[in-house]
Amino acid sequence: MRPEWVDHYGHMNLAPYVAVFDMATDVLWPSLGLGPAFRARNLGTFAAENWVSYRKEVRLDDPLSAGSEVLAHDEKRLLIRHRLFHAEAGFESARCELLFLCVDLLTRRVCPWPEEVRAAFATSPSGPPPERLGLRR
């Protein structure tokens, strides 16, 4: 954990949690076919919604680890969950559900996922049902 992430209460402040979950997304993307080759096709992922649940505080110098899972997907949307853990004590500090859209970067419009990307979604680790977000039209 970075010192600038700690607030005046001595624990990780809320905004850095979102930053850490964004970093976890960057780690997850290549396993789902959403890395540089995806962007080279003028496709991108835009976050449409996110929800964070804070479970137990972490403090400066606490080692952190994250886990990610695909919760649901359809033709144009992907719902994932990240979980942040204290890397030594093992407790869950927070979780985040994120809804992403596939976007054509030339038109800036939502478009369908390529078939091979949807196949990667289907074979990735999945978790229990979402707590807050869902695939809605």
Side-chain angles (χ1 to χ4, degrees):
M1 180 182 327
R2 299 176 183 170
E4 62 271 20
W5 292 354
V6 177
D7 65 14
H8 52 274
Y9 297 115
H11 62 212
M12 190 166 161
N13 200 2
L14 69 103
Y17 277 95
V18 175
V20 168
F21 290 131
D22 192 44
M23 291 176 208
T25 299
D26 291 341
V27 171
L28 176 64
W29 268 188
S31 70
L32 298 177
L34 300 173
F38 186 71
R39 288 189 304 277
R41 295 166 70 174
N42 291 311
L43 296 171
T45 56
F46 285 16
E49 291 185 66
N50 81 65
W51 170 75
V52 178
S53 174
Y54 306 97
R55 307 293 170 129
K56 188 171 181 179
E57 72 177 351
V58 287
R59 303 180 69 148
L60 184 61
D61 297 327
D62 284 349
L64 305 175
S65 65
S68 304
E69 53 202 4
V70 171
L71 301 179
H73 61 90
D74 67 10
E75 182 182 337
K76 299 177 183 179
R77 294 172 292 194
L78 171 66
L79 181 59
I80 64 171
R81 175 186 294 128
H82 296 304
R83 298 172 66 204
L84 185 67
F85 299 94
H86 187 288
E88 291 174 354
F91 64 80
E92 182 181 19
S93 175
R95 62 180 58 175
C96 179
E97 292 178 4
L98 291 138
L99 179 65
F100 288 94
L101 305 173
C102 184
V103 175
D104 179 315
L105 297 175
L106 297 176
T107 64
R108 310 301 271 196
R109 310 253 331 153
V110 176
C111 65
W113 300 106
E115 286 303 316
E116 69 278 5
V117 171
R118 287 190 71 188
F121 296 167
T123 61
S124 67
S126 61
E131 293 179 61
R132 293 290 172 123
L133 301 183
L135 300 179
R136 298 187 269 275
R137 294 189 184 256

